[in-house]
Amino acid sequence: MAVLGRPQIEYRTPLDLVAEVRSGVLRIPPFQRGFKWDSRDVVALFDSVAKGYPIGNLLLWRRPAPAQTLRVGAVDVDAPALDSALWVVDGQQRITALVSGLVAAETTVDDRFRVHLDVESGSFHTAGPRQEIPASWLPVSILADTARLLRWMRENEAWLTEESMALVEQTAKAIREYQIPAYVVTSADELDLMEIFARINTTGRPLTQAEVFQALHMGTAEQSGIDLRYLANLPAQLNFGSISESVALACVKAYLDDGRDVGVREAFSSVEERREVFHGVATALRHAVEFLQQVALIPHIRLLHDLDVLKTLVRYIRHFGRPEGRSATLLKRWVWRDLTWRYNDRVIVRIDTDAFGSRDGLSAAELLLEQVPDRPPLKVDLRVSGDLRVSGEAGIVNVLALLAVGPRELSDGHAVDVNDLMAREEPWRMIVVDGPKTFANLVTVVAPELSDDDLRNALATADPEVAQSHLIDETSQRYLREGQYEEFFQRRGEAVARAIEAHVRRMAEWGARDGKAVSEILRAG
């Protein structure tokens, strides 16, 4: 481990920060938190600088940086590759607010950075992009430029009082000369820096654990190409929907240490290890998603009843590789038996860490499956939540079963796109609007262009094969056309219940042999 020298205390003015950001020397790591302050925070910061109040220390990390195009608040920067750049570990909000206001107060459309000094009252304000700016409001970007400030004062000397001119000069001087303490850490090793950052973020409005992790480890993410944001978006690239960075971090922890709570300081011993781990997690996450989609027939993250399943699969793949053959079959049963037992509000302890000490993937899959009862608990419940959202294990089971039927669009007969469906907050429509809120009265068709009456009529007159893909047979279509809604709900409800029962039996495979296949036993003998 490299020896970390004592952090050096340096001082920077707001104009120093502007120059370092615009030259690419000062870099803000691309972690997801982004700029969180609102206009009141930015105004308070400029007011503190003008009055000489302390605004806190900065923590900067000196290390190389690649060439990149980046955006700091309202400022676009084409930054060159540098052997000695300064990565912002703590102070992003303050630096972004100061630099954006001092550079772009007159040009940005982001009202948080359109900061002005009222030269009559001495107070700071922000202005909307279409707001008529009072004559007494001076953009802080002019305060930062001596030549422009002198020209502004000459152009407005007819109405400026001596008190106003003194206020302008005093504020400009305060902004130019204000000293901001910055601790600069120089090291190729991150562990001590992590400790500093973790301690800084224990008070105030703390970052989430995922944000802290991303900030510390991804300052040079461009060199490896993979960070928490990449992992969080990876499932979406596979048409599975994105996960949060917190879930991505949980997958990293599962991959690293079998689910134990990995402290920030102990996460990685080197940049090379971090790169290797993130590539490994990306591969495991990809295989886990492919297993869920292709074997477990769970097409989207919104239809995964417990994110622990995803983390467990990442751990399994890290130890035993991609689930294939008999192991994949047993893992599919484990996922579905757990889901359907949760359907009946049973508490299942599913993850036994001893499983990952098994000698092979098949034994581990057997141990996981043993933790779930091997008898069917399912009682079909066709009720849905009041807002028609996909929620709860019962709703998820029902949705998965209906999607397994292969619903088709009414307009062209093409298969319903699950990603389009899951992108909607309420991915279902009621067939009869004032009818019961049950799956007997819901249809998995997007069709936003159809009115309620048109949707019902389209189902009633659709090609029989298309209607059947929604479990509406020709008799049910006739009930719809003739307004015999009670008969329709009864008949379709029975069809939906049968489809759910059949799909769950097919996926959970109760009664099947859960140990090794007979062929494997014979080979072993």
Side-chain angles (χ1 to χ4, degrees):
M1 179 186 299
V3 176
L4 181 74
R6 187 181 184 87
Q8 299 297 309
I9 182 68
E10 301 177 359
Y11 291 87
R12 284 168 168 73
T13 67
L15 298 190
D16 291 333
L17 297 178
V18 169
E20 289 180 327
V21 166
R22 300 185 87 169
S23 66
V25 170
L26 196 61
R27 309 277 180 108
I28 293 178
F31 53 94
Q32 193 78 4
R33 187 183 190 190
F35 188 75
K36 295 293 187 180
W37 280 12
D38 59 24
S39 298
R40 292 169 297 180
D41 298 317
V42 177
V43 164
L45 179 68
F46 273 92
D47 185 67
S48 294
V49 169
K51 293 176 179 176
Y53 295 169
I55 63 170
N57 303 324
L58 307 177
L59 178 60
L60 310 176
W61 186 18
R62 190 183 300 280
R63 61 180 293 112
Q68 60 180 170
T69 299
L70 60 145
R71 186 171 182 84
V72 179
V75 182
D76 293 312
V77 180
D78 289 322
L82 297 173
D83 293 331
S84 180
L86 293 169
W87 294 90
V88 179
V89 179
D90 192 66
Q92 175 199 2
Q93 308 295 311
R94 287 164 288 164
I95 291 172
T96 300
L98 287 170
V99 171
S100 296
L102 294 175
V103 171
E106 301 161 273
T107 58
T108 181
V109 296
D110 191 329
D111 57 9
R112 296 173 298 178
F113 305 130
R114 293 173 59 85
V115 185
H116 294 71
L117 170 70
D118 185 341
V119 301
E120 294 180 344
S121 67
S123 57
F124 288 91
H125 305 273
T126 57
R130 293 186 178 85
Q131 179 179 343
E132 184 175 348
I133 308 298
S136 63
W137 284 21
L138 172 63
V140 294
S141 48
I142 293 180
L143 284 173
D145 186 325
T146 301
R148 294 185 64 205
L149 179 60
L150 291 174
R151 185 164 60 250
W152 183 87
M153 293 178 73
R154 286 196 301 271
E155 292 171 351
N156 294 278
E157 61 183 354
W159 62 269
L160 282 171
T161 65
E162 290 187 7
E163 291 80 7
S164 295
M165 286 190 288
L167 173 65
V168 169
E169 292 173 353
Q170 178 184 349
T171 305
K173 183 174 186 294
I175 289 176
R176 288 195 297 267
E177 298 180 359
Y178 185 89
Q179 299 293 305
I180 306 171
Y183 286 93
V184 180
V185 178
T186 303
S187 174
D189 195 294
E190 304 150 6
L191 300 183
D192 289 296
L193 182 68
M194 294 181 207
E195 183 68 22
I196 297 171
F197 189 65
R199 292 185 184 186
I200 286 174
N201 281 283
T202 56
T203 58
R205 183 165 60 179
L207 304 176
T208 67
Q209 191 175 21
E211 290 167 340
V212 172
F213 189 94
Q214 180 81 330
L216 291 172
H217 292 292
M218 296 304 117
T220 55
E222 295 83 357
Q223 298 175 12
S224 66
I226 297 178
D227 59 6
L228 284 183
R229 179 165 46 188
Y230 176 90
L231 293 177
N233 290 328
L234 178 59
Q237 297 173 23
L238 301 172
N239 294 320
F240 193 65
S242 60
I243 59 178
S244 69
E245 287 190 6
S246 296
V247 173
L249 177 57
C251 289
V252 173
K253 290 182 176 183
Y255 183 94
L256 273 173
D257 200 35
D258 288 340
R260 293 196 298 271
D261 187 14
V262 179
V264 174
R265 182 180 177 85
E266 293 80 17
F268 301 115
S269 60
S270 67
V271 173
E272 290 72 22
E273 183 192 3
R274 179 189 67 204
R275 185 179 298 116
E276 180 181 351
V277 166
F278 267 74
H279 276 284
V281 174
T283 299
L285 188 57
R286 183 178 294 108
H287 290 333
V289 168
E290 290 170 349
F291 165 81
L292 289 169
Q293 292 174 315
Q294 299 168 17
V295 180
L297 301 187
I298 297 176
H300 197 276
I301 191 69
R302 285 184 66 186
L303 300 174
L304 184 62
H305 62 290
D306 187 349
L307 290 173
D308 278 347
V309 170
L310 187 64
K311 295 185 291 183
T312 302
L313 288 171
V314 166
R315 290 169 59 193
Y316 178 96
I317 293 164
R318 188 253 191 277
H319 284 277
F320 307 111
R322 184 181 205 158
E324 293 179 333
R326 183 67 174 173
S327 298
T329 297
L330 298 186
L331 288 174
K332 177 199 70 173
R333 294 176 187 172
W334 163 68
V335 170
W336 271 88
R337 291 181 190 180
D338 174 69
L339 169 57
T340 50
W341 269 81
R342 285 170 178 263
Y343 192 145
N344 279 4
D345 298 323
R346 304 295 183 96
V347 177
I348 304 297
V349 180
R350 298 172 300 100
I351 301 173
D352 182 353
T353 56
D354 289 342
F356 298 98
S358 302
R359 64 182 181 274
D360 56 56
L362 182 55
S363 299
E366 290 175 359
L367 286 172
L368 284 173
L369 188 54
E370 286 175 2
Q371 298 172 54
V372 187
D374 61 356
R375 59 191 184 280
L378 182 64
K379 296 177 182 176
V380 174
D381 183 354
L382 297 185
R383 294 171 298 176
V384 296
S385 61
D387 55 10
L388 305 187
R389 298 181 185 181
V390 179
S391 60
E393 287 76 12
I396 289 174
V397 167
N398 295 349
V399 170
L400 289 171
L402 293 182
L403 290 178
V405 176
R408 293 158 61 178
E409 291 284 5
L410 300 176
S411 57
D412 53 18
H414 291 161
V416 169
D417 188 301
V418 175
N419 275 291
D420 286 346
L421 197 67
M422 292 297 105
R424 297 168 62 86
E425 188 173 11
E426 296 178 357
W428 314 102
R429 294 191 62 180
M430 295 183 69
I431 300 170
V432 179
V433 174
D434 55 356
K437 288 191 174 180
T438 75
F439 276 90
N441 192 25
L442 291 187
V443 63
T444 57
V445 60
V446 178
E449 73 282 359
L450 296 180
S451 68
D452 295 332
D453 288 342
D454 288 342
L455 174 63
R456 185 178 65 254
N457 292 333
L459 286 167
T461 59
D463 180 271
E465 289 187 6
V466 174
Q468 188 59 56
S469 75
H470 297 282
L471 300 175
I472 299 175
D473 62 12
E474 293 186 56
T475 299
S476 295
Q477 285 186 289
R478 177 169 57 80
Y479 287 151
L480 268 184
R481 289 194 299 271
E482 297 174 357
Q484 295 178 270
Y485 297 144
E486 291 299 325
E487 292 81 354
F488 170 78
F489 297 138
Q490 178 68 30
R491 187 173 182 85
R492 186 170 186 256
E494 292 171 354
V496 169
R498 286 194 301 271
I500 294 169
E501 290 173 348
H503 186 62
V504 171
R505 283 197 304 270
R506 183 166 57 249
M507 301 308 294
E509 295 184 309
W510 284 293
R513 180 183 178 85
D514 288 337
K516 292 180 174 60
V518 173
S519 59
E520 292 172 327
I521 295 173
L522 292 174
R523 282 199 301 270

